[in-house]
Amino acid sequence: MVRVTDKYEWLEDVTGDAALEWVRARNERTVDEFTANDEFRTLETDIRSILDTDARIPYARKRGDHLYNFWKDASHPRGLWRRTTMEEYRKDSPAWDVIIDLDALAEAEGENWVWKSAQVLRPSFDRALISLSRGGADASVIREYSLTSRSFVAPDEGGFVVPEAKTDIDWIDADTVFVGTDLGPGSLTDSGYPRRAHRWLRGTPLAEAPVVYEGEQTDVAVSASHDATPGFERSLVQRATDFFNAVTSILHDDGSTTVLDVPTDASVSLHENWLTVRLTTAWTVDGTEYAAGSLVAAKIDEFLSGARDLVVVFAPDARTSLHQYAWTENHLLMVLLEDVRSSVHVVTLGDTVTSERLQGLPDAVDVTVIGTDPEFGGDEYFLDASGHLTPSTLLVGTVGTEPEVLKSAPAFFDTTGLAVEQYFATSLDGTRVPYFVVRNPGTQDRPTAAGPTLLYGYGGFEVSLTPSYSGVVGAAWLARGGTYVVANIRGGGEYGPSWHTEVLKSGRHKVHEDFAAVASDLVERGITTPDQLGAQGGSNGGLLMGIMLTKYPESFGAIVCQVPLLDMKRYHRLLAGASWMAEYGDPDDPDEWAFISEYSPYQNVSPPGNSIGVYPPILITTSTRDDRVHPGHARKMDALLEEYGYDVSYYENIEGGHGGAADNAQAAFTSALAYTFLWRTLGGGTR
């Protein structure tokens, strides 16, 4: 029976004295129980050393003649924004030019700054818009920085400075930006994002910047951007009507707009004279149907004139999907997934479309394009290749030649005897659901001796969980004898957009059924037992964990639920929750609440003795500074579970944002806490 009353709503007062007193008391209990021992301290130290090591690859983005990198280590926990040249970057130990020392800046200004981003002005590359967050929140302060004088440009000097808000900003030229931010009543959507885009001229008050585009209060957000490609300069505005639908228009110099006549749920990009459209649902044009998941292209001038001569760049099949695409100056790089294993293809668009598979890549199961600069970088690209047991390799190449290895990450754990296996579970509706198992396969016939098994999942927003190397998972779990499993359940994008769209709103139950099917398949194959099987997920994955607790408690021996959504009756009224109604539905609509109420964890907590069974031990973690998913979800769930006498542990980082941690020390602590809880609860014993 679904509860409708909420006596713990007072815990939604994020910084209220009573709520924070409750948080500190719960934190103290959890810290005392799990961290006051040598086992935890050793694990925390090991994880911190992985996060801080100088041996990591310093991933960088090329902007003009420099490669820019943001770097954290033990000496710089808040981080350094720095740059170097390509010649230096090729060396094992490049000479870095430090531009901003965030630790020094935070100390000098008495602020708890957390780095968010930097936008460098093109083509001069002499200015940047720096985004800094207090404590890791999504809301940030925007400050202009001069790369010539190595100083922030103050407002009284004409600098672009925007107070703390969930701001959208982009350079137009050296003296003008597009900006959307909190300018008082009517300036934000119900989701808390900008509703208007302004053109802001240097030296004029932000409050007087003219509006160039405006959306509705019920929209998710409005944004404006500028393409500085020489010879193809143009501005775009976009109105996101919900999380997955947006109207994109070209903004002309006279203030008028031309809507791009493409499906609103498609992903749209423009490069020079090409318009590319990645389809989420099928699109019929002049009698021709283009399948969901396809990438089609057209000459932009011809398209705007009414022609619909579309060329198919990629068409999916039952096993293969388009995972990523990125332009170089003259080509398009596509990353395809075939049963969640990737390959890279180089596409050339012209009167005909040619596609060639990129050769010379390492033997890894996941490859990602991490950098191109189609405006000023020619056909150069950067790739990252890795696997569950294969540390990352950074490659650089130019279209027409094989890529070369630029840097390689070290191994952080011993992989001797470990192997990666892929299996397929059958969900309740017959769908084939892939998952990866990382373990010592020699233990497959001895499940009780295999050690604890951890099953990770997300299942939402078309986020694909591709194989990747994690030194933390390896050192904290695999190296200790644990088995690690990643479930590629629906809700993600592993098999294209339909893998996600079929589970929206009323289809949400399929996500939960997929994850439960993987859990059952692990047991049926003898890989683990329910008592030794733990589950972990965060954010939308935290919602999944809450559902596993309340709907499938018999399948798990322990659960870690991180920065979660749990109260689906009120999620749309808390922080950014309204922006996710296209994913979950509207709880205020009786028809939609009917299916949401079936799984909403907070409303479905039952007292002991219920027909579902005893809940396994659960650790719930969140962050006070998370201004995306409200910490009230985690707080209220913990309070209710504790009221009913369940085995529940709770930890709330007082800062850290939606990522749960503001620096490596906090990340190491929360990771060590989760793995210590799981290892102890699942019978792993001492380290």
Side-chain angles (χ1 to χ4, degrees), residues 22-92:
W22 178 92
V23 167
R24 292 187 178 97
R26 292 296 286 123
N27 280 358
E28 184 177 357
R29 284 168 47 185
T30 299
V31 168
D32 288 347
E33 181 176 0
F34 293 103
T35 72
N37 56 78
D38 291 339
E39 176 188 359
F40 174 86
R41 285 187 284 269
T42 300
L43 182 59
E44 181 185 20
T45 299
D46 290 347
I47 294 174
R48 178 71 185 274
S49 67
I50 292 171
L51 298 177
D52 281 342
T53 179
D54 290 339
R56 288 171 290 137
I57 295 176
Y59 292 101
R61 293 298 177 94
K62 195 171 183 181
R63 297 293 180 260
D65 295 330
H66 293 91
L67 287 94
Y68 290 81
N69 162 262
F70 186 73
W71 180 262
K72 294 180 181 180
D73 57 28
S75 300
H76 309 93
R78 295 184 185 275
L80 304 171
W81 189 44
R82 58 188 191 172
R83 69 183 185 183
T84 192
T85 62
M86 189 64 184
E87 181 181 4
E88 280 292 322
Y89 193 64
R90 290 180 177 277
K91 299 178 181 179
D92 291 338

Side-chain angles (χ1 to χ4, degrees), residues 338-399:
E338 183 176 357
D339 283 335
V340 206
R341 298 173 185 272
S342 62
S343 59
V344 181
H345 300 254
V346 179
V347 177
T348 303
L349 292 179
D351 294 333
T352 60
V353 177
T354 62
S355 178
E356 295 183 5
R357 182 164 180 162
L358 185 64
Q359 303 298 317
L361 297 178
D363 184 17
V365 290
D366 183 63
V367 182
T368 303
V369 180
I370 61 168
T372 63
D373 188 353
E375 298 169 13
F376 301 99
D379 289 322
E380 188 180 53
Y381 59 83
F382 294 84
L383 304 175
D384 185 67
S386 69
H388 286 297
L389 299 177
T390 308
S392 288
T393 298
L394 176 64
L395 302 104
V396 63
T398 301
V399 173

Side-chain angles (χ1 to χ4, degrees), residues 188-204:
L188 300 179
T189 66
D190 291 339
S191 299
Y193 296 101
R195 187 166 77 88
R196 300 176 181 132
H198 303 256
R199 188 190 302 269
W200 185 17
L201 181 65
R202 185 183 300 281
T204 64

